[in-house]
Amino acid sequence: MSGDILSQDPAELRSRMDSGRAHPARVYDVFLGGKDHYPADRAAAAAGLAANPRGYLDVRHNRDFLRRAVTTLTEVDGIRQFLDIGTGLPTAENVHQIAQRTAPEARVVYVDNDPVVLAHARALLTSGPEGRTEYIDADLKSPEQILEQAARTLDFSRPVALCLLVLHFVEDEQAYPIVRELMDALPAGSRLVLSHLTEDLNAENIRAVQRTYTERGFTFVLRNRRDVGRFFTETGLELATPGLVPVHHWRPDHAAPVPAQPEQSYLAGLEDIEKVRYKDINDVTDADINVYGGLGIKV
């Protein structure tokens, strides 16, 4: 386990927490039915849902894309090392759980800089005896620091799958160089799992959501298919089948988990944002999704 995380002073973490301002990782936690967020995060999520009542499908299908991609990488491609940057709060089906189910020896390094996420790092650091799971307190905008610390756990002479599902929170002048620096450090055979919000698909819905979040101080960049594709082409990666597509069309297996349903009387008493955790996302349509996803291979 990472000594840096386990030795973190809880008081120092608390001093970094700003409960009065929404944070993307915690807003994501609201949509995933988590409990590790503050009223400001809940308010931001509720505003996003009001702007796009089916917007929870973007979040949940983005997460399900990650499940399918990691499953493919472990079961089909034989990848045994993962670097997940911007992982967010612990939830069901984290990368190490998916990977180590198939390959108990798999190694996973998580990276985030939200102190609430860090405070819950111990929940993530639960690898099976054959594998290893670590957590790094670092910002995506510091790729050199990430690579240096990740090298304590991952063997950069062997393929690594880099998971990036958060680049819509990074401006162009930083986003493309960051991905290039990270992929340049990884050997041939490595993979890039990437998803990104776009206005190509259902522009009115996602622009309404964008307004609610930028009003709260978030960086929220919507890139078109060409510009999302640049993350692959500018790093010399080959896109695996089916290419760069809306996430619900990326190798669908129709196995998204269906939440257990409470009594209707209980459900009726919940606010709309609370009902999201019980939604079945298998009823998705093309009019619901505003996220591209793809898997690139470094040759």
Side-chain angles (χ1 to χ4, degrees), residues 72-122:
T72 296
L73 290 171
T74 52
E75 292 184 355
V76 179
D77 296 353
I79 299 296
R80 297 295 182 263
Q81 301 191 106
F82 296 83
L83 179 57
D84 182 6
I85 303 179
T87 184
L89 285 147
T91 185
E93 293 291 87
N94 297 293
V95 169
H96 75 281
Q97 294 168 320
I98 301 167
Q100 291 177 357
R101 190 159 52 233
T102 296
E105 73 278 17
R107 294 188 168 204
V108 180
V109 172
Y110 294 105
V111 182
D112 211 295
N113 70 334
D114 177 25
V116 175
V117 174
L118 302 175
H120 289 80
R122 287 178 176 83

mmCIF file of all heavy atoms in Angstrom, residues 72-122:
data_model
loop_
_atom_site.group_PDB
_atom_site.id
_atom_site.type_symbol
_atom_site.label_atom_id
_atom_site.label_comp_id
_atom_site.label_asym_id
_atom_site.label_seq_id
_atom_site.Cartn_x
_atom_site.Cartn_y
_atom_site.Cartn_z
ATOM 1 N N THR A 72 -12.664 -6.031 -21.142
ATOM 2 C CA THR A 72 -12.028 -6.393 -22.409
ATOM 3 C C THR A 72 -10.515 -6.450 -22.268
ATOM 4 O O THR A 72 -9.857 -7.387 -22.751
ATOM 5 C CB THR A 72 -12.405 -5.376 -23.508
ATOM 6 O OG1 THR A 72 -13.814 -5.431 -23.746
ATOM 7 C CG2 THR A 72 -11.663 -5.659 -24.809
ATOM 8 N N LEU A 73 -9.950 -5.457 -21.605
ATOM 9 C CA LEU A 73 -8.497 -5.393 -21.465
ATOM 10 C C LEU A 73 -7.950 -6.578 -20.679
ATOM 11 O O LEU A 73 -6.881 -7.107 -21.018
ATOM 12 C CB LEU A 73 -8.101 -4.083 -20.791
ATOM 13 C CG LEU A 73 -8.291 -2.825 -21.637
ATOM 14 C CD1 LEU A 73 -8.087 -1.569 -20.811
ATOM 15 C CD2 LEU A 73 -7.338 -2.829 -22.831
ATOM 16 N N THR A 74 -8.644 -6.997 -19.658
ATOM 17 C CA THR A 74 -8.146 -8.111 -18.839
ATOM 18 C C THR A 74 -8.454 -9.457 -19.480
ATOM 19 O O THR A 74 -7.588 -10.331 -19.550
ATOM 20 C CB THR A 74 -8.729 -8.054 -17.425
ATOM 21 O OG1 THR A 74 -10.147 -7.940 -17.484
ATOM 22 C CG2 THR A 74 -8.170 -6.884 -16.652
ATOM 23 N N GLU A 75 -9.672 -9.632 -19.968
ATOM 24 C CA GLU A 75 -10.088 -10.943 -20.469
ATOM 25 C C GLU A 75 -9.574 -11.240 -21.870
ATOM 26 O O GLU A 75 -9.270 -12.386 -22.193
ATOM 27 C CB GLU A 75 -11.617 -11.047 -20.458
ATOM 28 C CG GLU A 75 -12.232 -11.077 -19.059
ATOM 29 C CD GLU A 75 -13.736 -11.290 -19.101
ATOM 30 O OE1 GLU A 75 -14.315 -11.320 -20.218
ATOM 31 O OE2 GLU A 75 -14.341 -11.413 -18.016
ATOM 32 N N VAL A 76 -9.487 -10.210 -22.703
ATOM 33 C CA VAL A 76 -9.134 -10.421 -24.119
ATOM 34 C C VAL A 76 -7.702 -9.989 -24.421
ATOM 35 O O VAL A 76 -6.947 -10.711 -25.067
ATOM 36 C CB VAL A 76 -10.120 -9.663 -25.039
ATOM 37 C CG1 VAL A 76 -9.735 -9.861 -26.507
ATOM 38 C CG2 VAL A 76 -11.555 -10.101 -24.783
ATOM 39 N N ASP A 77 -7.308 -8.810 -23.930
ATOM 40 C CA ASP A 77 -6.011 -8.243 -24.295
ATOM 41 C C ASP A 77 -4.883 -8.622 -23.348
ATOM 42 O O ASP A 77 -3.717 -8.357 -23.645
ATOM 43 C CB ASP A 77 -6.116 -6.717 -24.361
ATOM 44 C CG ASP A 77 -7.058 -6.236 -25.458
ATOM 45 O OD1 ASP A 77 -7.522 -7.081 -26.244
ATOM 46 O OD2 ASP A 77 -7.315 -5.027 -25.537
ATOM 47 N N GLY A 78 -5.202 -9.203 -22.208
ATOM 48 C CA GLY A 78 -4.163 -9.649 -21.288
ATOM 49 C C GLY A 78 -3.459 -8.546 -20.529
ATOM 50 O O GLY A 78 -2.351 -8.742 -20.010
ATOM 51 N N ILE A 79 -4.083 -7.367 -20.426
ATOM 52 C CA ILE A 79 -3.477 -6.260 -19.677
ATOM 53 C C ILE A 79 -3.582 -6.544 -18.184
ATOM 54 O O ILE A 79 -4.621 -6.978 -17.686
ATOM 55 C CB ILE A 79 -4.165 -4.926 -20.025
ATOM 56 C CG1 ILE A 79 -3.999 -4.614 -21.523
ATOM 57 C CG2 ILE A 79 -3.619 -3.798 -19.167
ATOM 58 C CD1 ILE A 79 -2.576 -4.388 -21.966
ATOM 59 N N ARG A 80 -2.496 -6.272 -17.471
ATOM 60 C CA ARG A 80 -2.447 -6.557 -16.033
ATOM 61 C C ARG A 80 -2.049 -5.333 -15.198
ATOM 62 O O ARG A 80 -1.886 -5.462 -13.990
ATOM 63 C CB ARG A 80 -1.453 -7.702 -15.760
ATOM 64 C CG ARG A 80 -1.864 -9.043 -16.413
ATOM 65 C CD ARG A 80 -3.148 -9.558 -15.795
ATOM 66 N NE ARG A 80 -3.577 -10.847 -16.334
ATOM 67 C CZ ARG A 80 -4.487 -10.996 -17.295
ATOM 68 N NH1 ARG A 80 -5.063 -9.918 -17.850
ATOM 69 N NH2 ARG A 80 -4.836 -12.195 -17.720
ATOM 70 N N GLN A 81 -1.943 -4.163 -15.851
ATOM 71 C CA GLN A 81 -1.573 -2.948 -15.131
ATOM 72 C C GLN A 81 -2.479 -1.798 -15.582
ATOM 73 O O GLN A 81 -2.693 -1.606 -16.783
ATOM 74 C CB GLN A 81 -0.121 -2.582 -15.396
ATOM 75 C CG GLN A 81 0.883 -3.654 -15.001
ATOM 76 C CD GLN A 81 2.299 -3.120 -15.052
ATOM 77 O OE1 GLN A 81 2.926 -2.856 -14.034
ATOM 78 N NE2 GLN A 81 2.821 -2.951 -16.262
ATOM 79 N N PHE A 82 -2.967 -1.024 -14.610
ATOM 80 C CA PHE A 82 -3.913 0.044 -14.899
ATOM 81 C C PHE A 82 -3.532 1.307 -14.129
ATOM 82 O O PHE A 82 -3.188 1.246 -12.949
ATOM 83 C CB PHE A 82 -5.337 -0.371 -14.507
ATOM 84 C CG PHE A 82 -5.863 -1.530 -15.298
ATOM 85 C CD1 PHE A 82 -5.551 -2.840 -14.936
ATOM 86 C CD2 PHE A 82 -6.665 -1.325 -16.414
ATOM 87 C CE1 PHE A 82 -6.022 -3.914 -15.670
ATOM 88 C CE2 PHE A 82 -7.136 -2.401 -17.157
ATOM 89 C CZ PHE A 82 -6.815 -3.707 -16.781
ATOM 90 N N LEU A 83 -3.623 2.447 -14.809
ATOM 91 C CA LEU A 83 -3.409 3.754 -14.201
ATOM 92 C C LEU A 83 -4.676 4.564 -14.440
ATOM 93 O O LEU A 83 -4.954 4.997 -15.559
ATOM 94 C CB LEU A 83 -2.191 4.441 -14.838
ATOM 95 C CG LEU A 83 -1.835 5.848 -14.337
ATOM 96 C CD1 LEU A 83 -1.612 5.862 -12.834
ATOM 97 C CD2 LEU A 83 -0.617 6.376 -15.085
ATOM 98 N N ASP A 84 -5.471 4.732 -13.383
ATOM 99 C CA ASP A 84 -6.786 5.368 -13.473
ATOM 100 C C ASP A 84 -6.692 6.758 -12.850
ATOM 101 O O ASP A 84 -6.597 6.891 -11.629
ATOM 102 C CB ASP A 84 -7.816 4.496 -12.732
ATOM 103 C CG ASP A 84 -9.232 5.044 -12.817
ATOM 104 O OD1 ASP A 84 -9.446 6.033 -13.550
ATOM 105 O OD2 ASP A 84 -10.120 4.492 -12.145
ATOM 106 N N ILE A 85 -6.725 7.794 -13.697
ATOM 107 C CA ILE A 85 -6.527 9.168 -13.226
ATOM 108 C C ILE A 85 -7.860 9.902 -13.176
ATOM 109 O O ILE A 85 -8.603 9.936 -14.151
ATOM 110 C CB ILE A 85 -5.539 9.918 -14.130
ATOM 111 C CG1 ILE A 85 -4.201 9.167 -14.209
ATOM 112 C CG2 ILE A 85 -5.314 11.336 -13.610
ATOM 113 C CD1 ILE A 85 -3.166 9.831 -15.097
ATOM 114 N N GLY A 86 -8.125 10.508 -12.033
ATOM 115 C CA GLY A 86 -9.411 11.160 -11.814
ATOM 116 C C GLY A 86 -10.472 10.147 -11.474
ATOM 117 O O GLY A 86 -11.622 10.252 -11.895
ATOM 118 N N THR A 87 -10.094 9.172 -10.675
ATOM 119 C CA THR A 87 -10.972 8.029 -10.413
ATOM 120 C C THR A 87 -12.236 8.379 -9.660
ATOM 121 O O THR A 87 -13.249 7.719 -9.798
ATOM 122 C CB THR A 87 -10.180 6.958 -9.627
ATOM 123 O OG1 THR A 87 -10.988 5.829 -9.451
ATOM 124 C CG2 THR A 87 -9.773 7.497 -8.265
ATOM 125 N N GLY A 88 -12.196 9.435 -8.841
ATOM 126 C CA GLY A 88 -13.380 9.793 -8.073
ATOM 127 C C GLY A 88 -13.547 8.939 -6.833
ATOM 128 O O GLY A 88 -12.650 8.202 -6.419
ATOM 129 N N LEU A 89 -14.724 9.047 -6.227
ATOM 130 C CA LEU A 89 -14.990 8.354 -4.975
ATOM 131 C C LEU A 89 -15.216 6.870 -5.183
ATOM 132 O O LEU A 89 -15.720 6.447 -6.227
ATOM 133 C CB LEU A 89 -16.202 8.985 -4.292
ATOM 134 C CG LEU A 89 -15.887 10.334 -3.643
ATOM 135 C CD1 LEU A 89 -17.074 11.271 -3.696
ATOM 136 C CD2 LEU A 89 -15.450 10.119 -2.204
ATOM 137 N N PRO A 90 -14.853 6.066 -4.194
ATOM 138 C CA PRO A 90 -15.089 4.620 -4.290
ATOM 139 C C PRO A 90 -16.559 4.316 -4.533
ATOM 140 O O PRO A 90 -17.436 4.920 -3.927
ATOM 141 C CB PRO A 90 -14.640 4.089 -2.924
ATOM 142 C CG PRO A 90 -13.723 5.131 -2.390
ATOM 143 C CD PRO A 90 -14.223 6.436 -2.922
ATOM 144 N N THR A 91 -16.814 3.397 -5.445
ATOM 145 C CA THR A 91 -18.176 2.972 -5.733
ATOM 146 C C THR A 91 -18.128 1.513 -6.139
ATOM 147 O O THR A 91 -17.072 0.885 -6.089
ATOM 148 C CB THR A 91 -18.803 3.851 -6.835
ATOM 149 O OG1 THR A 91 -20.169 3.480 -7.018
ATOM 150 C CG2 THR A 91 -18.065 3.700 -8.151
ATOM 151 N N ALA A 92 -19.241 0.955 -6.523
ATOM 152 C CA ALA A 92 -19.240 -0.434 -6.975
ATOM 153 C C ALA A 92 -18.485 -0.549 -8.296
ATOM 154 O O ALA A 92 -18.474 0.375 -9.107
ATOM 155 C CB ALA A 92 -20.673 -0.928 -7.148
ATOM 156 N N GLU A 93 -17.845 -1.678 -8.505
ATOM 157 C CA GLU A 93 -17.154 -1.968 -9.763
ATOM 158 C C GLU A 93 -16.053 -0.948 -10.053
ATOM 159 O O GLU A 93 -16.010 -0.322 -11.111
ATOM 160 C CB GLU A 93 -18.144 -2.035 -10.930
ATOM 161 C CG GLU A 93 -19.113 -3.210 -10.845
ATOM 162 C CD GLU A 93 -18.437 -4.560 -11.053
ATOM 163 O OE1 GLU A 93 -17.947 -5.131 -10.058
ATOM 164 O OE2 GLU A 93 -18.385 -5.044 -12.194
ATOM 165 N N ASN A 94 -15.160 -0.759 -9.101
ATOM 166 C CA ASN A 94 -13.956 0.010 -9.349
ATOM 167 C C ASN A 94 -13.024 -0.800 -10.253
ATOM 168 O O ASN A 94 -13.177 -2.008 -10.409
ATOM 169 C CB ASN A 94 -13.258 0.323 -8.024
ATOM 170 C CG ASN A 94 -14.111 1.180 -7.115
ATOM 171 O OD1 ASN A 94 -14.374 2.348 -7.410
ATOM 172 N ND2 ASN A 94 -14.555 0.609 -6.011
ATOM 173 N N VAL A 95 -12.033 -0.118 -10.845
ATOM 174 C CA VAL A 95 -11.154 -0.766 -11.814
ATOM 175 C C VAL A 95 -10.483 -1.999 -11.215
ATOM 176 O O VAL A 95 -10.409 -3.046 -11.859
ATOM 177 C CB VAL A 95 -10.108 0.232 -12.349
ATOM 178 C CG1 VAL A 95 -9.032 -0.492 -13.156
ATOM 179 C CG2 VAL A 95 -10.776 1.297 -13.209
ATOM 180 N N HIS A 96 -9.980 -1.895 -9.983
ATOM 181 C CA HIS A 96 -9.259 -3.050 -9.430
ATOM 182 C C HIS A 96 -10.197 -4.235 -9.194
ATOM 183 O O HIS A 96 -9.788 -5.385 -9.327
ATOM 184 C CB HIS A 96 -8.526 -2.669 -8.140
ATOM 185 C CG HIS A 96 -9.396 -2.499 -6.936
ATOM 186 N ND1 HIS A 96 -10.135 -1.373 -6.717
ATOM 187 C CD2 HIS A 96 -9.628 -3.318 -5.877
ATOM 188 C CE1 HIS A 96 -10.788 -1.490 -5.562
ATOM 189 N NE2 HIS A 96 -10.502 -2.665 -5.040
ATOM 190 N N GLN A 97 -11.451 -3.958 -8.870
ATOM 191 C CA GLN A 97 -12.403 -5.049 -8.664
ATOM 192 C C GLN A 97 -12.688 -5.773 -9.975
ATOM 193 O O GLN A 97 -12.747 -7.001 -10.026
ATOM 194 C CB GLN A 97 -13.698 -4.500 -8.056
ATOM 195 C CG GLN A 97 -13.520 -3.956 -6.646
ATOM 196 C CD GLN A 97 -14.717 -3.156 -6.178
ATOM 197 O OE1 GLN A 97 -15.311 -2.388 -6.940
ATOM 198 N NE2 GLN A 97 -15.091 -3.341 -4.918
ATOM 199 N N ILE A 98 -12.861 -4.997 -11.039
ATOM 200 C CA ILE A 98 -13.138 -5.586 -12.355
ATOM 201 C C ILE A 98 -11.927 -6.379 -12.846
ATOM 202 O O ILE A 98 -12.047 -7.533 -13.269
ATOM 203 C CB ILE A 98 -13.488 -4.484 -13.370
ATOM 204 C CG1 ILE A 98 -14.704 -3.682 -12.907
ATOM 205 C CG2 ILE A 98 -13.754 -5.098 -14.751
ATOM 206 C CD1 ILE A 98 -14.914 -2.394 -13.677
ATOM 207 N N ALA A 99 -10.751 -5.745 -12.781
ATOM 208 C CA ALA A 99 -9.545 -6.375 -13.313
ATOM 209 C C ALA A 99 -9.150 -7.605 -12.511
ATOM 210 O O ALA A 99 -8.826 -8.664 -13.082
ATOM 211 C CB ALA A 99 -8.398 -5.371 -13.331
ATOM 212 N N GLN A 100 -9.186 -7.518 -11.183
ATOM 213 C CA GLN A 100 -8.712 -8.624 -10.352
ATOM 214 C C GLN A 100 -9.701 -9.778 -10.279
ATOM 215 O O GLN A 100 -9.339 -10.879 -9.874
ATOM 216 C CB GLN A 100 -8.357 -8.107 -8.960
ATOM 217 C CG GLN A 100 -7.123 -7.213 -8.978
ATOM 218 C CD GLN A 100 -6.775 -6.621 -7.630
ATOM 219 O OE1 GLN A 100 -7.490 -6.816 -6.641
ATOM 220 N NE2 GLN A 100 -5.672 -5.885 -7.572
ATOM 221 N N ARG A 101 -10.919 -9.546 -10.717
ATOM 222 C CA ARG A 101 -11.864 -10.643 -10.825
ATOM 223 C C ARG A 101 -11.406 -11.635 -11.895
ATOM 224 O O ARG A 101 -11.548 -12.850 -11.744
ATOM 225 C CB ARG A 101 -13.265 -10.101 -11.152
ATOM 226 C CG ARG A 101 -14.369 -11.131 -11.057
ATOM 227 C CD ARG A 101 -15.722 -10.471 -10.871
ATOM 228 N NE ARG A 101 -16.003 -9.433 -11.859
ATOM 229 C CZ ARG A 101 -16.373 -8.198 -11.540
ATOM 230 N NH1 ARG A 101 -16.487 -7.822 -10.274
ATOM 231 N NH2 ARG A 101 -16.617 -7.311 -12.488
ATOM 232 N N THR A 102 -10.859 -11.112 -12.969
ATOM 233 C CA THR A 102 -10.325 -11.950 -14.044
ATOM 234 C C THR A 102 -8.860 -12.301 -13.800
ATOM 235 O O THR A 102 -8.431 -13.429 -14.029
ATOM 236 C CB THR A 102 -10.450 -11.227 -15.399
ATOM 237 O OG1 THR A 102 -11.836 -11.035 -15.691
ATOM 238 C CG2 THR A 102 -9.796 -12.026 -16.514
ATOM 239 N N ALA A 103 -8.100 -11.313 -13.350
ATOM 240 C CA ALA A 103 -6.650 -11.474 -13.165
ATOM 241 C C ALA A 103 -6.283 -11.044 -11.752
ATOM 242 O O ALA A 103 -5.991 -9.863 -11.520
ATOM 243 C CB ALA A 103 -5.897 -10.649 -14.203
ATOM 244 N N PRO A 104 -6.306 -11.941 -10.792
ATOM 245 C CA PRO A 104 -6.024 -11.569 -9.393
ATOM 246 C C PRO A 104 -4.682 -10.874 -9.203
ATOM 247 O O PRO A 104 -4.500 -10.131 -8.234
ATOM 248 C CB PRO A 104 -6.065 -12.913 -8.657
ATOM 249 C CG PRO A 104 -6.915 -13.796 -9.521
ATOM 250 C CD PRO A 104 -6.632 -13.372 -10.931
ATOM 251 N N GLU A 105 -3.753 -11.081 -10.124
ATOM 252 C CA GLU A 105 -2.427 -10.479 -9.995
ATOM 253 C C GLU A 105 -2.360 -9.057 -10.547
ATOM 254 O O GLU A 105 -1.302 -8.409 -10.491
ATOM 255 C CB GLU A 105 -1.401 -11.347 -10.722
ATOM 256 C CG GLU A 105 -1.442 -11.298 -12.250
ATOM 257 C CD GLU A 105 -2.497 -12.211 -12.881
ATOM 258 O OE1 GLU A 105 -3.416 -12.656 -12.166
ATOM 259 O OE2 GLU A 105 -2.397 -12.467 -14.107
ATOM 260 N N ALA A 106 -3.461 -8.541 -11.073
ATOM 261 C CA ALA A 106 -3.466 -7.211 -11.686
ATOM 262 C C ALA A 106 -3.084 -6.129 -10.684
ATOM 263 O O ALA A 106 -3.404 -6.199 -9.492
ATOM 264 C CB ALA A 106 -4.840 -6.903 -12.271
ATOM 265 N N ARG A 107 -2.379 -5.115 -11.192
ATOM 266 C CA ARG A 107 -1.972 -3.964 -10.373
ATOM 267 C C ARG A 107 -2.702 -2.720 -10.868
ATOM 268 O O ARG A 107 -2.756 -2.461 -12.084
ATOM 269 C CB ARG A 107 -0.466 -3.765 -10.452
ATOM 270 C CG ARG A 107 0.319 -4.912 -9.821
ATOM 271 C CD ARG A 107 1.802 -4.602 -9.747
ATOM 272 N NE ARG A 107 2.487 -5.571 -8.889
ATOM 273 C CZ ARG A 107 3.628 -5.336 -8.261
ATOM 274 N NH1 ARG A 107 4.219 -4.155 -8.400
ATOM 275 N NH2 ARG A 107 4.182 -6.261 -7.501
ATOM 276 N N VAL A 108 -3.216 -1.946 -9.923
ATOM 277 C CA VAL A 108 -3.994 -0.755 -10.263
ATOM 278 C C VAL A 108 -3.524 0.410 -9.413
ATOM 279 O O VAL A 108 -3.403 0.289 -8.196
ATOM 280 C CB VAL A 108 -5.506 -0.983 -10.034
ATOM 281 C CG1 VAL A 108 -6.299 0.271 -10.387
ATOM 282 C CG2 VAL A 108 -6.005 -2.180 -10.844
ATOM 283 N N VAL A 109 -3.251 1.531 -10.082
ATOM 284 C CA VAL A 109 -2.915 2.773 -9.379
ATOM 285 C C VAL A 109 -4.010 3.791 -9.682
ATOM 286 O O VAL A 109 -4.305 4.080 -10.846
ATOM 287 C CB VAL A 109 -1.542 3.324 -9.810
ATOM 288 C CG1 VAL A 109 -1.312 4.719 -9.207
ATOM 289 C CG2 VAL A 109 -0.434 2.375 -9.385
ATOM 290 N N TYR A 110 -4.613 4.316 -8.625
ATOM 291 C CA TYR A 110 -5.624 5.361 -8.737
ATOM 292 C C TYR A 110 -4.981 6.714 -8.450
ATOM 293 O O TYR A 110 -4.095 6.825 -7.600
ATOM 294 C CB TYR A 110 -6.745 5.141 -7.723
ATOM 295 C CG TYR A 110 -7.576 3.908 -7.954
ATOM 296 C CD1 TYR A 110 -7.429 2.777 -7.149
ATOM 297 C CD2 TYR A 110 -8.538 3.869 -8.960
ATOM 298 C CE1 TYR A 110 -8.203 1.646 -7.336
ATOM 299 C CE2 TYR A 110 -9.319 2.741 -9.161
ATOM 300 C CZ TYR A 110 -9.158 1.636 -8.348
ATOM 301 O OH TYR A 110 -9.924 0.518 -8.543
ATOM 302 N N VAL A 111 -5.473 7.753 -9.135
ATOM 303 C CA VAL A 111 -4.958 9.104 -8.929
ATOM 304 C C VAL A 111 -6.125 10.070 -8.791
ATOM 305 O O VAL A 111 -7.040 10.074 -9.625
ATOM 306 C CB VAL A 111 -4.075 9.560 -10.111
ATOM 307 C CG1 VAL A 111 -3.510 10.958 -9.852
ATOM 308 C CG2 VAL A 111 -2.959 8.565 -10.386
ATOM 309 N N ASP A 112 -6.104 10.878 -7.746
ATOM 310 C CA ASP A 112 -7.087 11.951 -7.580
ATOM 311 C C ASP A 112 -6.495 12.986 -6.632
ATOM 312 O O ASP A 112 -5.533 12.694 -5.918
ATOM 313 C CB ASP A 112 -8.416 11.412 -7.041
ATOM 314 C CG ASP A 112 -9.609 12.229 -7.539
ATOM 315 O OD1 ASP A 112 -9.704 13.414 -7.171
ATOM 316 O OD2 ASP A 112 -10.443 11.686 -8.302
ATOM 317 N N ASN A 113 -7.061 14.181 -6.640
ATOM 318 C CA ASN A 113 -6.562 15.211 -5.732
ATOM 319 C C ASN A 113 -7.663 15.832 -4.885
ATOM 320 O O ASN A 113 -7.433 16.842 -4.218
ATOM 321 C CB ASN A 113 -5.816 16.306 -6.505
ATOM 322 C CG ASN A 113 -6.754 17.157 -7.346
ATOM 323 O OD1 ASN A 113 -7.820 16.707 -7.745
ATOM 324 N ND2 ASN A 113 -6.358 18.377 -7.642
ATOM 325 N N ASP A 114 -8.868 15.256 -4.907
ATOM 326 C CA ASP A 114 -9.935 15.749 -4.050
ATOM 327 C C ASP A 114 -9.742 15.166 -2.652
ATOM 328 O O ASP A 114 -9.690 13.940 -2.503
ATOM 329 C CB ASP A 114 -11.293 15.337 -4.614
ATOM 330 C CG ASP A 114 -12.447 15.761 -3.709
ATOM 331 O OD1 ASP A 114 -12.274 16.728 -2.948
ATOM 332 O OD2 ASP A 114 -13.505 15.118 -3.749
ATOM 333 N N PRO A 115 -9.629 15.992 -1.613
ATOM 334 C CA PRO A 115 -9.383 15.455 -0.276
ATOM 335 C C PRO A 115 -10.484 14.529 0.234
ATOM 336 O O PRO A 115 -10.212 13.638 1.038
ATOM 337 C CB PRO A 115 -9.263 16.711 0.601
ATOM 338 C CG PRO A 115 -9.877 17.810 -0.195
ATOM 339 C CD PRO A 115 -9.641 17.464 -1.628
ATOM 340 N N VAL A 116 -11.715 14.706 -0.231
ATOM 341 C CA VAL A 116 -12.782 13.783 0.177
ATOM 342 C C VAL A 116 -12.516 12.401 -0.405
ATOM 343 O O VAL A 116 -12.702 11.375 0.251
ATOM 344 C CB VAL A 116 -14.165 14.312 -0.252
ATOM 345 C CG1 VAL A 116 -15.256 13.287 0.068
ATOM 346 C CG2 VAL A 116 -14.474 15.622 0.446
ATOM 347 N N VAL A 117 -12.049 12.373 -1.664
ATOM 348 C CA VAL A 117 -11.677 11.098 -2.273
ATOM 349 C C VAL A 117 -10.523 10.473 -1.496
ATOM 350 O O VAL A 117 -10.540 9.274 -1.182
ATOM 351 C CB VAL A 117 -11.286 11.299 -3.758
ATOM 352 C CG1 VAL A 117 -10.762 10.001 -4.349
ATOM 353 C CG2 VAL A 117 -12.480 11.801 -4.561
ATOM 354 N N LEU A 118 -9.528 11.275 -1.153
ATOM 355 C CA LEU A 118 -8.367 10.758 -0.447
ATOM 356 C C LEU A 118 -8.742 10.214 0.924
ATOM 357 O O LEU A 118 -8.181 9.218 1.388
ATOM 358 C CB LEU A 118 -7.305 11.852 -0.314
ATOM 359 C CG LEU A 118 -6.805 12.455 -1.633
ATOM 360 C CD1 LEU A 118 -5.845 13.599 -1.351
ATOM 361 C CD2 LEU A 118 -6.141 11.396 -2.487
ATOM 362 N N ALA A 119 -9.693 10.872 1.556
ATOM 363 C CA ALA A 119 -10.121 10.420 2.874
ATOM 364 C C ALA A 119 -10.770 9.044 2.818
ATOM 365 O O ALA A 119 -10.814 8.322 3.808
ATOM 366 C CB ALA A 119 -11.090 11.430 3.477
ATOM 367 N N HIS A 120 -11.249 8.672 1.641
ATOM 368 C CA HIS A 120 -11.865 7.357 1.468
ATOM 369 C C HIS A 120 -10.938 6.377 0.754
ATOM 370 O O HIS A 120 -11.361 5.307 0.337
ATOM 371 C CB HIS A 120 -13.175 7.490 0.665
ATOM 372 C CG HIS A 120 -14.270 8.157 1.439
ATOM 373 N ND1 HIS A 120 -14.345 9.512 1.578
ATOM 374 C CD2 HIS A 120 -15.319 7.645 2.134
ATOM 375 C CE1 HIS A 120 -15.406 9.820 2.311
ATOM 376 N NE2 HIS A 120 -16.001 8.713 2.662
ATOM 377 N N ALA A 121 -9.660 6.733 0.630
ATOM 378 C CA ALA A 121 -8.736 5.908 -0.139
ATOM 379 C C ALA A 121 -8.615 4.499 0.422
ATOM 380 O O ALA A 121 -8.432 3.537 -0.323
ATOM 381 C CB ALA A 121 -7.359 6.569 -0.191
ATOM 382 N N ARG A 122 -8.711 4.364 1.723
ATOM 383 C CA ARG A 122 -8.573 3.030 2.312
ATOM 384 C C ARG A 122 -9.628 2.069 1.779
ATOM 385 O O ARG A 122 -9.410 0.864 1.709
ATOM 386 C CB ARG A 122 -8.639 3.120 3.837
ATOM 387 C CG ARG A 122 -7.391 3.711 4.466
ATOM 388 C CD ARG A 122 -7.549 3.826 5.974
ATOM 389 N NE ARG A 122 -6.332 4.306 6.610
ATOM 390 C CZ ARG A 122 -5.989 5.579 6.699
ATOM 391 N NH1 ARG A 122 -6.757 6.514 6.169
ATOM 392 N NH2 ARG A 122 -4.861 5.932 7.299
#
